Amino acid sequence: MIEVNDIHKSFGENEILKGISTVFDKGKTNLIIGQSGSGKTVFLKCLLGLFVPEQGTISYDGQVYSELSKDERSDLRAQMGMVFQGSALFDSMTIAENVMFPLRMFTKLSKGEMQDRVDFVLHRVNLANAGNKLPSEASGGMQKRVAIARAIVNKPKYLFCDEPNSGLDPNTATVIDNLIQEITEEYNITTVINTHDMNSVMEIGQKIIFLKNGFKEWEGSNKTIFKTDNEAVTNFVYSSELFKRVRKMYIEEDI
Amino acid sequence: MLSRFFYLSVSNKAMSYLHNIGTYFLMIKEMFHNPTKWSVMRGLILKDIDDLIIGSLGIVAFISFFVGGVVTIQTALNINNPLIPKYLVGFATRQSVILEFAPTFISIIAAGKVGSFITSSIGTMRVTEQIDALEVMGINAINYLVFPKFIALMLYPFVISISMFLGILGGMAACVYGGFSSLDDYITGVQMDFTPFHMTYAFIKTFVFAFLLATIPSYYGYYMKGGALEVGKASTTSFVWTSVMIILCNYILTQMLLA
């Protein structure tokens, strides 16, 4: 569980996060949504420890990040997995070497044990035969799955995904969404996803927070987002005619 | 109004330079902290030795051989006085190659070849979020990326030794086959009045230049911001500043060690 308490983050005169508080639950897919420039990426980078908030605290299962020593922070980060928007795979390594990387860095497993773990994880993301390829030889969807495999190979407690569906076709995007949700429930980890994809919001948004101009504007789930009368949320989520109709049908059926 | 604008512009520029210098030294300090596992680091060092040292040998050998030849021809053509012995051609070539050409000129070439490679490879990792991925995993990215390059470039004096040898050899070939003096005269000149401290001076310079070659391009790659275009700009800036620092340090070291 990750608890965020009143965090503020500025760059020079520009205040990006203006006092956000929320809780991300374990075993759930937690989504951060909002328009471009609303502070989603900065918020995610604060959660990852890449940016340090000027005010407020972030605690990971009771460990307050700002109170940890440098070594303790490194240990905590080793328990985090991250799926970057552009996958961020290491170009010079094969897919299997990319996935093995966290194991080589943080465990004392033998080469055979590491290979077994890599094979298991690659199999889990349906890439059992792709280990010897280079990232440049893989499609966008495959690269995302490799990034997920690398993020979960060391059995993290926290999984962060920045726009995991960007640039993917709807079919592959659904596969990635389902994979993330299955892994979250299977390993009982705290997953936080930064997304613009409304399909993801509807499908896997077990908890959703909506950011606007650096504030938390709304908090709920994919069940409650249909019924909210928050104008900012409805303008953002139901901006297309298709989603307006989906919402109408959902409300009518529910009634 | 104009003077105030000028003052603000200069003070902002000065602050920016000071900030860069401070960040550069903090990066060097960070390079030795929280070291990467030796089993991983060993592989990185070997890869960087291959990329930065072995990969530079070809161009260094080519340039050294032919520039050594040119130095000899220029020296021979400028000695018109029949009272000046022919063996001075070999002597002048040796002094030029050992004292300046091999350590300094080759380091400027290396700033272009090795420095651009370091800046663009680290810069590309920054642009494609690979450095963020390292940091998120709790890895000291500066140690992971810069330290192996620093260790690999500690073998740079080996490259300069080869450059010295080939420069003098190229001079010999140009001298003998160009008919400027005999082989015996050239060898006599190369061996004449040899001062071992000149080699020490050359290698002290080389170690300092190796440090600059490893760290300045790494700094420009690691702290770059923006996209692919900025990677190119960072490579150019890194080449300029590495060259400037090599020339400056060359002057300071020469003043300290030889004057």
Side-chain angles (χ1 to χ4, degrees):
Chain A
M1 185 174 70
I2 302 171
E3 288 174 88
V4 181
N5 185 22
D6 191 31
I7 63 164
H8 292 253
K9 176 69 190 167
S10 305
F11 294 99
E13 302 284 298
N14 193 11
E15 193 176 12
I16 307 294
L17 303 180
K18 300 166 183 167
I20 295 178
S21 301
T22 190
V23 175
F24 297 116
D25 295 319
K26 202 174 184 179
K28 278 188 182 174
T29 42
N30 302 276
L31 268 58
I32 306 168
I33 60 170
Q35 289 177 332
S36 299
S38 58
K40 297 190 303 295
T41 301
V42 173
F43 184 41
L44 194 73
K45 288 196 172 179
C46 286
L47 292 175
L48 285 161
L50 292 176
F51 290 155
V52 183
E54 288 95 28
Q55 196 185 316
T57 58
I58 304 173
S59 65
Y60 303 82
D61 292 309
Q63 291 178 282
V64 180
Y65 190 81
S66 54
E67 291 172 3
L68 298 177
S69 68
K70 207 172 177 180
D71 288 343
E72 286 169 334
R73 286 182 184 187
S74 284
D75 291 344
L76 178 65
R77 279 179 170 181
Q79 297 170 22
M80 295 178 182
M82 172 72 189
V83 179
F84 284 88
Q85 189 173 358
S87 298
L89 301 176
F90 302 119
D91 308 322
S92 55
M93 300 179 193
T94 64
I95 284 175
E97 286 168 346
N98 262 285
V99 178
M100 194 183 282
F101 185 77
L103 298 177
R104 287 177 65 207
M105 293 301 291
F106 299 111
T107 69
K108 290 178 179 168
L109 297 176
S110 69
K111 210 166 180 181
E113 287 170 324
M114 283 195 267
Q115 191 59 53
D116 288 346
R117 178 76 189 145
V118 168
D119 290 343
F120 173 78
V121 176
L122 282 177
H123 189 263
R124 182 69 191 80
V125 297
N126 298 322
L127 286 173
N129 300 317
N132 292 326
K133 285 186 177 177
L134 286 168
S136 56
E137 296 166 343
S139 66
M142 280 171 80
Q143 288 185 10
K144 284 278 156 63
R145 281 185 281 158
V146 177
I148 293 171
R150 185 178 68 182
I152 63 168
V153 72
N154 203 18
K155 300 174 184 167
K157 284 167 112 177
Y158 316 97
L159 178 64
F160 300 94
C161 308
D162 189 14
E163 310 256 2
N165 294 335
S166 69
L168 299 181
D169 63 83
N171 216 1
T172 313
T174 308
V175 171
I176 297 292
D177 278 345
N178 292 337
L179 185 62
I180 292 172
Q181 188 164 33
E182 283 165 24
I183 285 166
T184 302
E185 287 167 4
E186 201 174 313
Y187 298 113
N188 196 26
I189 53 183
T190 308
T191 298
V192 182
I193 304 169
N194 194 349
T195 188
H196 272 127
D197 187 31
M198 287 309 121
N199 280 321
S200 304
V201 171
M202 304 301 177
E203 292 288 331
I204 61 167
Q206 292 172 314
K207 172 165 184 170
I208 301 167
I209 70 164
F210 177 76
L211 300 188
K212 189 183 175 190
N213 299 329
F215 291 103
K216 186 182 76 177
E217 177 75 22
W218 180 84
E219 186 170 322
S221 71
N222 55 0
K223 302 284 182 286
T224 56
I225 202 164
F226 283 108
K227 294 175 182 173
T228 181
D229 51 6
N230 184 305
E231 202 181 333
V233 177
T234 51
N235 284 344
F236 176 72
V237 178
Y238 306 108
S239 55
S240 77
E241 282 304 316
L242 176 67
F243 279 109
K244 276 178 190 156
R245 267 190 266 165
V246 171
R247 186 190 188 207
K248 198 178 164 197
M249 282 165 61
Y250 185 90
I251 292 171
E252 280 170 2
E253 272 181 30
D254 206 26
I255 288 166
Chain B
M1 183 70 183
L2 200 66
S3 64
R4 182 170 163 72
F5 175 75
F6 179 74
Y7 170 76
L8 280 175
S9 164
V10 169
S11 66
N12 282 345
K13 201 87 177 161
M15 283 307 287
S16 161
Y17 280 131
L18 282 175
H19 177 263
N20 284 344
I21 291 167
T23 315
Y24 170 74
F25 283 109
L26 285 174
M27 183 196 81
I28 290 168
K29 186 179 155 218
E30 195 60 28
M31 186 166 80
F32 299 101
H33 280 181
N34 196 6
T36 305
K37 256 170 90 171
W38 173 242
S39 57
V40 176
M41 182 55 80
R42 190 178 51 207
L44 294 171
I45 291 172
L46 291 175
K47 188 178 178 304
D48 280 334
I49 288 174
D50 187 35
D51 287 338
L52 307 178
I53 301 294
I54 310 290
S56 302
L57 286 178
I59 185 77
V60 167
F62 178 80
I63 292 172
S64 302
F65 189 84
F66 285 101
V67 174
V70 169
V71 167
T72 300
I73 293 169
Q74 298 275 22
T75 311
L77 290 176
N78 282 288
I79 298 176
N80 295 323
N81 193 328
L83 294 176
I84 298 175
K86 291 284 184 191
Y87 59 72
L88 272 182
V89 176
F91 175 77
T93 304
R94 185 201 74 200
Q95 290 296 85
S96 308
V97 167
I98 289 178
L99 292 176
E100 282 311 317
F101 167 70
T104 312
F105 187 75
I106 291 294
S107 295
I108 302 284
I109 304 280
K113 195 205 174 281
V114 174
S116 296
F117 174 78
I118 292 174
T119 306
S120 56
S121 60
I122 297 180
T124 305
M125 288 185 76
R126 169 65 74 195
V127 170
T128 55
E129 295 181 310
Q130 292 176 49
I131 292 179
D132 288 345
L134 289 170
E135 286 173 352
V136 166
M137 287 181 210
I139 294 164
N140 177 358
I142 291 177
N143 176 267
Y144 182 87
L145 295 170
V146 185
F147 186 73
K149 290 170 178 52
F150 167 71
I151 297 295
L153 278 166
M154 288 298 106
L155 291 178
Y156 184 60
F158 165 71
V159 177
I160 297 303
S161 308
I162 290 174
S163 168
M164 287 174 177
F165 173 74
L166 287 174
I168 292 171
L169 193 73
M172 188 183 79
C175 188
V176 175
Y177 293 110
F180 298 107
S181 75
S182 67
L183 179 63
D184 284 347
D185 277 347
Y186 185 83
I187 291 174
T188 306
V190 167
Q191 293 176 333
M192 198 178 76
D193 282 344
F194 178 68
T195 314
F197 181 71
H198 285 173
M199 291 297 282
T200 312
Y201 157 76
F203 283 113
I204 288 173
K205 285 207 304 190
T206 305
F207 272 111
V208 173
F209 297 162
F211 180 79
L212 297 174
L213 281 171
T215 52
I216 296 176
S218 297
Y219 169 79
Y220 279 101
Y222 190 83
Y223 290 102
M224 68 147 293
K225 290 187 177 83
L229 185 67
E230 278 74 17
V231 176
K233 283 181 186 169
S235 295
T236 310
T237 315
S238 124
F239 169 69
V240 170
W241 279 107
T242 311
S243 306
V244 165
M245 288 311 297
I246 285 172
I247 299 289
L248 254 174
C249 288
N250 185 38
Y251 175 77
I252 294 166
L253 287 169
T254 306
Q255 179 70 34
M256 281 169 66
L257 297 171
L258 290 188

